[in-house]
Amino acid sequence: MPLRRLLNWFVMSLILFFVISALLFVLVSLTPGDAARVIVGPNASQEQYLKVREELGLDLPLWQQYGQWLGQLLQGDLGDSVVSGVPVAQVLADRIEATLSLIILTFVCASILGIVLGVIGAARPGIVGKAADIGSVIGSAVPSFWIGLVLAAIFAVQLQWLPTSGYSPLVDGLGAWLVHLILPVATLTIGGTALLAKQTRDAVAEQLSQPYILLLRAHGVSERRILWRHALRGAAVPIVTILGMKMIGLTTGTVLVESVFVIPGFAGYAVNATLLHDIPVVQAIALIFTVVIIITNLVVELLYSRLNVKEASR
């Protein structure tokens, strides 16, 4: 990627970062209630309520509250939770492992399974290809939380093979960590795998119809090498696009799944923080997801540039 293009990306990402933070700050402030009422309780007097609002800085104009938060952020301070008083960095540190484990495992499983099924479907168009199409429609249409409830009812409640909820940290053992993540990861993988398999099948099938494939076959190159090395590499651009979309989608898709399986990650915690008007926590979580999205877009752009260079040199 040229330096000028990279600089433009950085400037646009920085603008996006601050726009999202300001917009989210306003949206959270518009939701009914506030953190001061949550802290003092419904039976507190108006004087107590106003005092707590003043201590939390909630009596200040919204632009001033945002300015104070932004000033702390630029100094590397995410602030404290207005509800619990615990530093936001500590709150997120206690929950980030669960969310990252869920996102990374799902991305790896969906990527491998989707690409393999898509390549096989392109090599054997027919039942496999139609199954990919049907699976893509079903996987995209069915809500992930419904899939999670069905999987939990079958494998956790009826068969009792897997735990219904919770999360076991990796330090407590690889086996327990993996067992608790099987159902959540499977829930998020189903929809993403179906869509990726269909897109991969279409892209690889298009490559298999190109003249250079006939030339490779005429030179005696094996079908396996043609399929997995040449056709798949030629179809890499649309596949990379879907993978980027998948990673971005996981930043929001984990919210419902963490709620269904009671996983103590910060995606699900963001919902509770929003209801409690815990703005520093909500802002920090949203900005972390924003950074993930920005980095994902950068990686996709870099891959595009590399793939275009390879394509031009062929």
Side-chain angles (χ1 to χ4, degrees), residues 215-306:
L215 183 61
L216 290 173
R217 287 171 176 162
H219 283 78
V221 180
S222 66
E223 286 295 324
R224 177 177 296 183
R225 186 180 180 87
I226 290 175
L227 187 64
W228 291 100
R229 181 168 182 176
H230 298 281
L232 183 59
R233 184 172 62 183
V237 171
I239 294 175
V240 167
T241 302
I242 296 299
L243 290 176
M245 293 172 56
K246 178 64 179 175
M247 175 59 75
I248 293 174
L250 285 174
T251 60
T252 55
T254 55
V255 175
L256 291 176
V257 172
E258 286 185 0
S259 300
V260 170
F261 293 99
V262 197
I263 297 176
F266 58 67
Y269 186 71
V271 177
N272 295 328
T274 303
L275 296 175
L276 296 175
H277 277 255
D278 200 343
I279 293 181
V281 174
V282 176
Q283 288 286 96
I285 293 174
L287 292 182
I288 289 175
F289 283 159
T290 302
V291 170
V292 171
I293 293 172
I294 290 174
I295 292 176
T296 300
N297 287 329
L298 174 61
V299 172
V300 170
E301 287 290 333
L302 292 174
L303 289 175
Y304 280 165
S305 299
R306 186 172 180 82

Coordinates of all heavy atoms in Angstrom, one line a residue, residues 215-306:
L215 N -4.9 -24.3 -19.7 CA -3.5 -24.3 -20.0 C -2.7 -25.2 -18.9 O -1.9 -26.0 -19.3 CB -2.9 -22.9 -20.0 CG -1.4 -22.8 -20.4 CD1 -1.2 -23.4 -21.8 CD2 -1.0 -21.4 -20.4
L216 N -3.1 -25.0 -17.7 CA -2.5 -25.8 -16.6 C -2.8 -27.3 -16.8 O -1.9 -28.1 -16.6 CB -2.9 -25.3 -15.3 CG -2.4 -23.9 -14.8 CD1 -3.1 -23.5 -13.5 CD2 -0.9 -23.9 -14.6
R217 N -4.0 -27.6 -17.1 CA -4.4 -29.0 -17.3 C -3.7 -29.6 -18.5 O -3.3 -30.7 -18.5 CB -5.9 -29.1 -17.5 CG -6.7 -28.9 -16.2 CD -8.2 -28.8 -16.5 NE -8.9 -28.7 -15.2 CZ -10.2 -28.2 -15.1 NH1 -10.8 -27.8 -16.2 NH2 -10.8 -28.2 -13.9
A218 N -3.5 -28.7 -19.6 CA -2.8 -29.2 -20.8 C -1.3 -29.5 -20.4 O -0.7 -30.4 -21.1 CB -2.9 -28.2 -21.9
H219 N -0.8 -28.8 -19.5 CA 0.6 -29.1 -19.1 C 0.7 -30.2 -18.0 O 1.8 -30.5 -17.5 CB 1.3 -27.8 -18.5 CG 1.7 -26.9 -19.6 ND1 0.8 -26.0 -20.2 CD2 2.9 -26.6 -20.1 CE1 1.4 -25.3 -21.1 NE2 2.7 -25.6 -21.1
G220 N -0.4 -30.9 -17.7 CA -0.3 -32.0 -16.8 C -0.4 -31.7 -15.4 O 0.0 -32.6 -14.5
V221 N -0.7 -30.5 -15.0 CA -0.8 -30.1 -13.6 C -2.0 -30.9 -12.9 O -3.0 -31.0 -13.5 CB -1.0 -28.6 -13.4 CG1 -1.0 -28.3 -11.9 CG2 0.2 -27.9 -14.0
S222 N -1.8 -31.5 -11.8 CA -2.8 -32.2 -11.1 C -4.0 -31.4 -10.7 O -3.9 -30.2 -10.5 CB -2.2 -32.9 -9.9 OG -1.9 -31.9 -8.9
E223 N -5.2 -32.0 -10.7 CA -6.4 -31.3 -10.4 C -6.3 -30.7 -8.9 O -6.9 -29.6 -8.7 CB -7.6 -32.2 -10.5 CG -8.0 -32.5 -11.9 CD -8.5 -31.2 -12.7 OE1 -9.2 -30.4 -12.0 OE2 -8.2 -31.1 -13.9
R224 N -5.7 -31.5 -8.1 CA -5.6 -31.0 -6.7 C -4.8 -29.7 -6.6 O -5.2 -28.7 -5.9 CB -5.0 -32.1 -5.8 CG -4.8 -31.6 -4.3 CD -4.3 -32.7 -3.5 NE -5.3 -33.8 -3.4 CZ -5.1 -34.9 -2.6 NH1 -3.9 -35.0 -1.9 NH2 -6.0 -35.9 -2.6
R225 N -3.7 -29.7 -7.3 CA -2.8 -28.5 -7.3 C -3.5 -27.3 -8.0 O -3.4 -26.2 -7.6 CB -1.5 -28.8 -8.1 CG -0.5 -27.7 -8.0 CD 0.8 -28.1 -8.7 NE 1.8 -27.1 -8.7 CZ 2.7 -26.9 -7.7 NH1 2.7 -27.8 -6.7 NH2 3.6 -26.0 -7.8
I226 N -4.2 -27.6 -9.1 CA -5.0 -26.5 -9.8 C -6.0 -25.9 -8.9 O -6.2 -24.7 -8.8 CB -5.7 -27.1 -11.1 CG1 -4.6 -27.4 -12.1 CG2 -6.7 -26.1 -11.6 CD1 -5.1 -28.1 -13.4
L227 N -6.7 -26.8 -8.2 CA -7.9 -26.4 -7.3 C -7.4 -25.6 -6.1 O -7.9 -24.5 -5.9 CB -8.7 -27.6 -6.9 CG -10.0 -27.3 -6.2 CD1 -10.9 -26.6 -7.1 CD2 -10.6 -28.6 -5.7
W228 N -6.4 -26.1 -5.3 CA -6.1 -25.6 -4.1 C -5.0 -24.5 -4.2 O -4.9 -23.7 -3.2 CB -5.6 -26.7 -3.1 CG -6.7 -27.6 -2.7 CD1 -7.0 -28.8 -3.2 CD2 -7.7 -27.3 -1.7 NE1 -8.2 -29.3 -2.6 CE2 -8.6 -28.4 -1.7 CE3 -8.0 -26.2 -0.8 CZ2 -9.7 -28.5 -0.8 CZ3 -9.1 -26.3 0.0 CH2 -9.9 -27.4 0.0
R229 N -4.2 -24.5 -5.2 CA -3.2 -23.5 -5.3 C -3.5 -22.4 -6.3 O -3.4 -21.2 -6.0 CB -1.9 -24.2 -5.7 CG -0.7 -23.2 -5.8 CD 0.6 -23.9 -6.0 NE 1.7 -22.9 -6.0 CZ 3.0 -23.3 -6.0 NH1 3.3 -24.5 -6.0 NH2 3.9 -22.3 -6.1
H230 N -4.0 -22.8 -7.5 CA -4.2 -21.7 -8.5 C -5.6 -21.1 -8.5 O -5.7 -19.9 -8.5 CB -3.9 -22.3 -9.9 CG -2.5 -22.8 -10.1 ND1 -1.4 -22.0 -10.3 CD2 -1.9 -24.1 -10.0 CE1 -0.3 -22.7 -10.4 NE2 -0.6 -23.9 -10.2
A231 N -6.6 -22.0 -8.5 CA -8.0 -21.5 -8.5 C -8.3 -20.7 -7.2 O -8.9 -19.7 -7.3 CB -8.9 -22.6 -8.8
L232 N -7.9 -21.3 -6.1 CA -8.2 -20.7 -4.8 C -7.5 -19.4 -4.7 O -8.0 -18.4 -4.2 CB -7.8 -21.6 -3.7 CG -8.2 -21.1 -2.3 CD1 -9.7 -20.9 -2.1 CD2 -7.7 -22.2 -1.2
R233 N -6.2 -19.3 -5.2 CA -5.5 -18.0 -5.1 C -6.1 -17.0 -6.0 O -6.2 -15.8 -5.7 CB -4.0 -18.3 -5.5 CG -3.2 -17.0 -5.4 CD -1.7 -17.3 -5.6 NE -1.4 -17.8 -6.9 CZ -0.2 -18.2 -7.3 NH1 0.8 -18.2 -6.5 NH2 -0.1 -18.6 -8.5
G234 N -6.6 -17.4 -7.2 CA -7.3 -16.5 -8.1 C -8.6 -15.9 -7.5 O -9.0 -14.8 -7.9
A235 N -9.2 -16.7 -6.7 CA -10.5 -16.4 -6.1 C -10.3 -15.7 -4.7 O -11.3 -15.5 -4.0 CB -11.4 -17.6 -5.9
A236 N -9.1 -15.3 -4.4 CA -8.8 -14.8 -3.0 C -9.5 -13.5 -2.7 O -9.8 -13.2 -1.5 CB -7.3 -14.7 -2.8
V237 N -9.6 -12.6 -3.7 CA -10.2 -11.3 -3.4 C -11.6 -11.3 -2.8 O -11.8 -10.7 -1.7 CB -10.1 -10.4 -4.7 CG1 -10.9 -9.1 -4.4 CG2 -8.7 -10.1 -5.0
P238 N -12.6 -12.0 -3.4 CA -13.9 -12.0 -2.8 C -13.9 -12.8 -1.5 O -14.7 -12.5 -0.6 CB -14.7 -12.7 -3.9 CG -13.8 -13.4 -4.8 CD -12.6 -12.6 -4.8
I239 N -13.0 -13.8 -1.4 CA -12.9 -14.5 -0.1 C -12.4 -13.7 1.0 O -12.9 -13.7 2.1 CB -12.0 -15.8 -0.3 CG1 -12.7 -16.8 -1.3 CG2 -11.8 -16.5 1.1 CD1 -11.8 -18.0 -1.6
V240 N -11.4 -12.9 0.7 CA -10.8 -11.9 1.7 C -11.9 -10.9 2.1 O -12.0 -10.6 3.3 CB -9.6 -11.2 1.2 CG1 -9.2 -10.0 2.1 CG2 -8.4 -12.2 1.1
T241 N -12.7 -10.5 1.2 CA -13.8 -9.5 1.5 C -14.8 -10.2 2.5 O -15.2 -9.5 3.5 CB -14.6 -9.2 0.2 OG1 -13.6 -8.6 -0.7 CG2 -15.7 -8.2 0.5
I242 N -15.2 -11.4 2.3 CA -16.1 -12.1 3.2 C -15.5 -12.3 4.5 O -16.1 -12.1 5.6 CB -16.6 -13.4 2.6 CG1 -17.4 -13.1 1.3 CG2 -17.5 -14.1 3.5 CD1 -18.6 -12.3 1.4
L243 N -14.2 -12.6 4.5 CA -13.5 -12.9 5.8 C -13.5 -11.6 6.6 O -13.6 -11.6 7.9 CB -12.1 -13.4 5.6 CG -12.0 -14.8 5.0 CD1 -10.6 -15.2 4.8 CD2 -12.6 -15.8 6.0
G244 N -13.2 -10.4 6.0 CA -13.2 -9.2 6.7 C -14.6 -8.8 7.2 O -14.7 -8.4 8.4
M245 N -15.6 -9.1 6.4 CA -17.0 -8.9 6.9 C -17.3 -9.8 8.1 O -18.0 -9.4 9.0 CB -18.0 -9.1 5.8 CG -17.9 -8.1 4.6 SD -18.9 -8.5 3.2 CE -20.5 -8.6 4.0
K246 N -16.8 -11.0 8.0 CA -17.0 -11.9 9.1 C -16.4 -11.5 10.4 O -17.1 -11.5 11.5 CB -16.5 -13.3 8.7 CG -16.6 -14.4 9.8 CD -18.1 -14.7 10.1 CE -18.2 -15.8 11.2 NZ -19.6 -16.0 11.5
M247 N -15.2 -11.0 10.3 CA -14.5 -10.5 11.5 C -15.3 -9.3 12.1 O -15.5 -9.2 13.3 CB -13.1 -10.1 11.2 CG -12.3 -9.5 12.4 SD -12.3 -10.5 13.9 CE -11.0 -11.7 13.4
I248 N -15.7 -8.4 11.2 CA -16.4 -7.2 11.7 C -17.8 -7.6 12.3 O -18.2 -7.1 13.3 CB -16.6 -6.2 10.5 CG1 -15.3 -5.6 10.1 CG2 -17.6 -5.1 10.9 CD1 -15.3 -4.8 8.9
G249 N -18.4 -8.6 11.7 CA -19.7 -9.0 12.2 C -19.6 -9.7 13.6 O -20.5 -9.6 14.4
L250 N -18.5 -10.3 13.8 CA -18.3 -11.0 15.1 C -18.2 -10.0 16.3 O -18.5 -10.3 17.4 CB -17.0 -11.8 15.1 CG -17.1 -13.2 14.3 CD1 -15.8 -13.8 14.2 CD2 -18.2 -14.1 14.9
T251 N -17.8 -8.8 16.0 CA -17.7 -7.8 17.1 C -19.1 -7.5 17.7 O -19.2 -7.1 18.9 CB -17.1 -6.5 16.6 OG1 -17.9 -5.9 15.5 CG2 -15.7 -6.7 16.1
T252 N -20.1 -7.6 16.8 CA -21.5 -7.4 17.3 C -22.2 -8.7 17.6 O -23.1 -8.8 18.5 CB -22.3 -6.5 16.3 OG1 -22.3 -7.2 15.1 CG2 -21.7 -5.1 16.2
G253 N -21.8 -9.7 16.8 CA -22.5 -11.0 17.0 C -22.3 -11.7 18.3 O -23.1 -12.5 18.8
T254 N -21.2 -11.3 19.0 CA -20.9 -11.9 20.2 C -21.8 -11.5 21.4 O -21.9 -12.1 22.4 CB -19.4 -11.7 20.7 OG1 -19.2 -10.2 20.6 CG2 -18.4 -12.3 19.7
V255 N -22.4 -10.3 21.2 CA -23.3 -9.8 22.3 C -24.4 -10.7 22.6 O -24.6 -11.1 23.8 CB -23.8 -8.4 21.8 CG1 -24.8 -7.9 22.9 CG2 -22.7 -7.4 21.6
L256 N -25.2 -11.2 21.6 CA -26.3 -12.0 21.9 C -25.8 -13.4 22.4 O -26.4 -14.0 23.3 CB -27.2 -12.2 20.7 CG -28.0 -11.0 20.3 CD1 -28.7 -11.2 19.0 CD2 -28.9 -10.5 21.4
V257 N -24.8 -13.9 21.8 CA -24.3 -15.2 22.2 C -23.7 -15.2 23.6 O -24.0 -16.2 24.4 CB -23.2 -15.7 21.2 CG1 -22.5 -17.0 21.7 CG2 -23.8 -15.9 19.8
E258 N -23.0 -14.2 24.0 CA -22.6 -14.1 25.4 C -23.7 -14.0 26.3 O -23.7 -14.6 27.5 CB -21.7 -12.9 25.5 CG -20.3 -13.0 24.9 CD -19.4 -11.8 25.2 OE1 -19.8 -10.9 25.9 OE2 -18.2 -11.9 24.7
S259 N -24.8 -13.4 25.9 CA -26.0 -13.4 26.8 C -26.7 -14.7 26.9 O -27.1 -15.1 28.0 CB -27.0 -12.3 26.3 OG -26.4 -11.0 26.2
V260 N -26.8 -15.4 25.8 CA -27.4 -16.7 25.8 C -26.7 -17.7 26.6 O -27.3 -18.5 27.4 CB -27.6 -17.3 24.3 CG1 -28.0 -18.7 24.3 CG2 -28.6 -16.4 23.6
F261 N -25.3 -17.7 26.5 CA -24.5 -18.7 27.2 C -23.9 -18.2 28.5 O -23.0 -18.8 29.1 CB -23.4 -19.3 26.3 CG -24.0 -20.1 25.2 CD1 -24.1 -19.6 23.9 CD2 -24.3 -21.4 25.4 CE1 -24.6 -20.3 22.9 CE2 -24.9 -22.2 24.4 CZ -25.0 -21.6 23.1
V262 N -24.3 -17.0 28.9 CA -23.8 -16.3 30.2 C -22.3 -16.3 30.2 O -21.7 -16.8 31.2 CB -24.4 -17.1 31.4 CG1 -24.3 -16.2 32.6 CG2 -25.9 -17.4 31.2
I263 N -21.7 -15.9 29.2 CA -20.2 -15.8 29.1 C -19.8 -14.4 29.6 O -20.4 -13.4 29.1 CB -19.7 -16.0 27.7 CG1 -20.1 -17.4 27.2 CG2 -18.2 -15.7 27.6 CD1 -19.7 -17.6 25.7
P264 N -18.9 -14.3 30.6 CA -18.6 -13.0 31.2 C -17.6 -12.2 30.3 O -16.5 -11.9 30.7 CB -17.9 -13.4 32.5 CG -17.3 -14.8 32.2 CD -18.3 -15.4 31.3
G265 N -18.0 -11.9 29.1 CA -17.2 -11.1 28.2 C -17.7 -9.7 28.2 O -18.7 -9.3 28.8
F266 N -16.9 -8.8 27.6 CA -17.3 -7.4 27.7 C -18.3 -7.0 26.6 O -18.9 -5.9 26.6 CB -16.2 -6.4 27.7 CG -15.2 -6.5 26.5 CD1 -15.6 -6.1 25.2 CD2 -13.9 -6.9 26.7 CE1 -14.8 -6.2 24.2 CE2 -13.0 -6.9 25.6 CZ -13.5 -6.6 24.4
A267 N -18.6 -7.9 25.6 CA -19.6 -7.6 24.6 C -21.0 -7.6 25.3 O -21.8 -6.7 25.1 CB -19.6 -8.6 23.5
G268 N -21.3 -8.7 26.0 CA -22.6 -8.7 26.7 C -22.7 -7.7 27.9 O -23.7 -7.2 28.2
Y269 N -21.5 -7.4 28.5 CA -21.5 -6.5 29.6 C -21.8 -5.1 29.1 O -22.3 -4.2 29.9 CB -20.1 -6.5 30.2 CG -20.0 -5.6 31.4 CD1 -20.6 -6.0 32.6 CD2 -19.2 -4.4 31.4 CE1 -20.4 -5.2 33.8 CE2 -19.1 -3.6 32.6 CZ -19.7 -4.0 33.7 OH -19.6 -3.3 34.9
A270 N -21.6 -4.8 27.8 CA -21.9 -3.5 27.3 C -23.4 -3.2 27.4 O -23.9 -2.1 27.5 CB -21.5 -3.4 25.8
V271 N -24.2 -4.3 27.2 CA -25.7 -4.1 27.3 C -26.1 -3.6 28.7 O -26.9 -2.7 28.9 CB -26.4 -5.4 26.9 CG1 -27.9 -5.2 27.1 CG2 -26.1 -5.8 25.5
N272 N -25.6 -4.3 29.7 CA -25.9 -3.9 31.1 C -25.4 -2.5 31.4 O -26.0 -1.7 32.1 CB -25.3 -4.9 32.1 CG -25.9 -6.3 32.0 OD1 -27.1 -6.4 31.6 ND2 -25.1 -7.3 32.2
A273 N -24.2 -2.2 30.9 CA -23.6 -0.9 31.1 C -24.4 0.2 30.5 O -24.6 1.3 31.1 CB -22.2 -0.8 30.6
T274 N -25.0 -0.1 29.3 CA -25.9 0.9 28.7 C -27.2 1.1 29.5 O -27.6 2.3 29.6 CB -26.3 0.4 27.3 OG1 -25.1 0.2 26.5 CG2 -27.1 1.4 26.5
L275 N -27.8 0.1 30.0 CA -29.0 0.2 30.8 C -28.7 1.0 32.1 O -29.6 1.7 32.6 CB -29.5 -1.2 31.1 CG -30.0 -2.0 29.9 CD1 -30.4 -3.4 30.4 CD2 -31.2 -1.3 29.2
L276 N -27.5 0.9 32.6 CA -27.1 1.6 33.8 C -26.5 3.0 33.6 O -26.2 3.7 34.5 CB -26.1 0.8 34.6 CG -26.6 -0.6 35.1 CD1 -25.5 -1.4 35.8 CD2 -27.8 -0.4 36.1
H277 N -26.5 3.4 32.3 CA -25.9 4.7 31.9 C -24.4 4.8 32.4 O -24.0 5.9 32.7 CB -26.7 5.8 32.5 CG -27.9 6.2 31.7 ND1 -27.9 7.3 30.9 CD2 -29.1 5.5 31.5 CE1 -29.1 7.3 30.3 NE2 -29.8 6.3 30.6
D278 N -23.7 3.7 32.4 CA -22.3 3.7 32.7 C -21.5 4.1 31.5 O -20.9 3.2 30.8 CB -21.9 2.3 33.3 CG -20.6 2.4 34.1 OD1 -19.9 3.4 34.0 OD2 -20.4 1.4 34.8
I279 N -21.5 5.4 31.2 CA -21.0 5.9 29.9 C -19.5 5.5 29.7 O -19.1 5.1 28.6 CB -21.2 7.4 29.8 CG1 -22.7 7.7 29.7 CG2 -20.4 7.9 28.6 CD1 -23.0 9.1 29.5
P280 N -18.6 5.6 30.8 CA -17.2 5.3 30.5 C -17.0 3.8 30.1 O -16.2 3.6 29.2 CB -16.5 5.5 31.9 CG -17.4 6.6 32.5 CD -18.8 6.2 32.1
V281 N -17.8 2.9 30.6 CA -17.7 1.5 30.2 C -18.2 1.3 28.8 O -17.5 0.7 28.0 CB -18.4 0.6 31.2 CG1 -18.4 -0.8 30.7 CG2 -17.8 0.7 32.6
V282 N -19.3 1.9 28.5 CA -19.9 1.8 27.1 C -19.0 2.4 26.1 O -18.7 1.8 25.0 CB -21.3 2.5 27.1 CG1 -21.8 2.4 25.7 CG2 -22.3 1.8 28.0
Q283 N -18.4 3.5 26.4 CA -17.5 4.2 25.5 C -16.3 3.3 25.2 O -15.8 3.2 24.1 CB -17.1 5.6 26.0 CG -18.2 6.6 26.0 CD -18.4 7.1 24.6 OE1 -19.3 6.7 23.9 NE2 -17.6 8.1 24.2
A284 N -15.7 2.8 26.3 CA -14.5 2.0 26.1 C -14.7 0.8 25.3 O -13.9 0.4 24.4 CB -13.9 1.6 27.5
I285 N -15.8 0.1 25.6 CA -16.1 -1.1 24.8 C -16.4 -0.8 23.3 O -15.9 -1.5 22.4 CB -17.3 -1.9 25.4 CG1 -17.0 -2.4 26.8 CG2 -17.8 -3.0 24.5 CD1 -18.1 -3.0 27.6
A286 N -17.2 0.2 23.1 CA -17.5 0.6 21.7 C -16.2 1.0 21.0 O -16.0 0.7 19.8 CB -18.5 1.7 21.7
L287 N -15.3 1.7 21.6 CA -14.1 2.1 21.0 C -13.1 1.0 20.7 O -12.4 0.9 19.7 CB -13.4 3.2 21.8 CG -14.1 4.5 21.9 CD1 -13.4 5.6 22.7 CD2 -14.5 5.1 20.5
I288 N -13.1 0.0 21.6 CA -12.3 -1.2 21.3 C -12.9 -1.9 20.1 O -12.1 -2.4 19.2 CB -12.4 -2.2 22.5 CG1 -11.6 -1.6 23.7 CG2 -11.8 -3.5 22.2 CD1 -11.6 -2.4 25.0
F289 N -14.2 -2.1 20.0 CA -14.7 -2.7 18.8 C -14.5 -1.9 17.5 O -14.2 -2.4 16.4 CB -16.3 -2.9 18.9 CG -16.6 -4.0 19.8 CD1 -17.9 -4.0 20.4 CD2 -15.8 -5.0 20.1 CE1 -18.2 -5.1 21.2 CE2 -16.1 -6.1 20.9 CZ -17.4 -6.1 21.5
T290 N -14.5 -0.5 17.7 CA -14.1 0.4 16.6 C -12.7 0.1 16.1 O -12.4 0.1 14.9 CB -14.3 1.8 17.0 OG1 -15.7 2.0 17.4 CG2 -14.0 2.8 15.8
V291 N -11.8 0.0 17.0 CA -10.4 -0.2 16.7 C -10.3 -1.6 16.0 O -9.5 -1.7 15.0 CB -9.5 -0.2 18.0 CG1 -8.1 -0.7 17.6 CG2 -9.5 1.2 18.5
V292 N -11.0 -2.6 16.4 CA -10.9 -3.9 15.8 C -11.4 -3.8 14.3 O -10.8 -4.3 13.4 CB -11.8 -4.9 16.5 CG1 -12.0 -6.2 15.7 CG2 -11.2 -5.2 17.9
I293 N -12.5 -3.0 14.1 CA -13.0 -2.8 12.8 C -12.0 -2.1 11.9 O -11.8 -2.4 10.7 CB -14.4 -2.1 12.8 CG1 -15.4 -3.0 13.5 CG2 -14.9 -1.7 11.4 CD1 -16.7 -2.3 13.8
I294 N -11.4 -1.0 12.4 CA -10.5 -0.3 11.7 C -9.3 -1.1 11.3 O -8.8 -1.1 10.1 CB -10.0 1.0 12.5 CG1 -11.2 2.0 12.6 CG2 -8.8 1.6 11.9 CD1 -10.9 3.1 13.5
I295 N -8.7 -1.9 12.2 CA -7.6 -2.7 11.9 C -8.0 -3.8 10.9 O -7.2 -4.1 10.0 CB -7.1 -3.4 13.2 CG1 -6.5 -2.3 14.2 CG2 -6.0 -4.5 12.9 CD1 -6.0 -2.9 15.5
T296 N -9.2 -4.4 11.0 CA -9.6 -5.4 10.1 C -9.7 -4.8 8.7 O -9.2 -5.4 7.7 CB -11.0 -5.9 10.4 OG1 -11.0 -6.5 11.7 CG2 -11.5 -6.9 9.4
N297 N -10.2 -3.6 8.5 CA -10.2 -2.9 7.2 C -8.8 -2.7 6.7 O -8.6 -2.8 5.5 CB -11.0 -1.6 7.3 CG -12.5 -1.8 7.5 OD1 -13.0 -2.8 7.0 ND2 -13.1 -0.9 8.2
L298 N -7.9 -2.3 7.5 CA -6.5 -2.1 7.1 C -5.9 -3.4 6.6 O -5.3 -3.5 5.5 CB -5.7 -1.6 8.3 CG -4.2 -1.4 8.0 CD1 -3.9 -0.5 6.8 CD2 -3.4 -1.0 9.2
V299 N -6.1 -4.5 7.3 CA -5.6 -5.8 6.9 C -6.2 -6.2 5.6 O -5.5 -6.7 4.7 CB -5.9 -6.9 8.0 CG1 -5.5 -8.3 7.5 CG2 -5.1 -6.6 9.3
V300 N -7.5 -6.0 5.4 CA -8.1 -6.3 4.1 C -7.5 -5.5 3.0 O -7.2 -6.0 1.9 CB -9.6 -6.1 4.2 CG1 -10.3 -6.2 2.8 CG2 -10.3 -7.1 5.1
E301 N -7.3 -4.2 3.2 CA -6.7 -3.3 2.2 C -5.3 -3.8 1.9 O -4.9 -3.8 0.7 CB -6.6 -1.9 2.7 CG -8.0 -1.2 2.7 CD -8.5 -0.9 1.3 OE1 -7.7 -0.7 0.4 OE2 -9.7 -0.8 1.2
L302 N -4.5 -4.2 2.9 CA -3.1 -4.7 2.6 C -3.2 -6.0 1.8 O -2.3 -6.1 0.9 CB -2.4 -4.9 3.9 CG -2.1 -3.6 4.8 CD1 -1.5 -4.0 6.1 CD2 -1.1 -2.7 4.0
L303 N -4.1 -6.8 2.1 CA -4.2 -8.1 1.4 C -4.7 -7.8 -0.1 O -4.2 -8.5 -1.0 CB -5.2 -9.0 2.1 CG -4.7 -9.6 3.4 CD1 -5.9 -10.4 4.0 CD2 -3.5 -10.5 3.2
Y304 N -5.6 -6.8 -0.2 CA -6.0 -6.5 -1.6 C -4.8 -6.0 -2.4 O -4.6 -6.4 -3.6 CB -7.0 -5.3 -1.5 CG -8.4 -5.8 -1.2 CD1 -9.4 -4.8 -0.8 CD2 -8.8 -7.1 -1.3 CE1 -10.7 -5.2 -0.6 CE2 -10.1 -7.5 -1.0 CZ -11.0 -6.5 -0.7 OH -12.3 -6.9 -0.4
S305 N -4.0 -5.2 -1.8 CA -2.8 -4.6 -2.5 C -1.8 -5.8 -2.9 O -1.3 -5.8 -4.0 CB -2.1 -3.6 -1.7 OG -2.9 -2.5 -1.3
R306 N -1.6 -6.7 -2.0 CA -0.7 -7.8 -2.2 C -1.3 -8.7 -3.3 O -0.5 -9.2 -4.2 CB -0.4 -8.6 -0.9 CG 0.6 -9.6 -1.1 CD 1.0 -10.3 0.3 NE 2.0 -11.3 0.2 CZ 3.3 -11.1 0.1 NH1 3.7 -9.8 0.1 NH2 4.1 -12.1 0.0

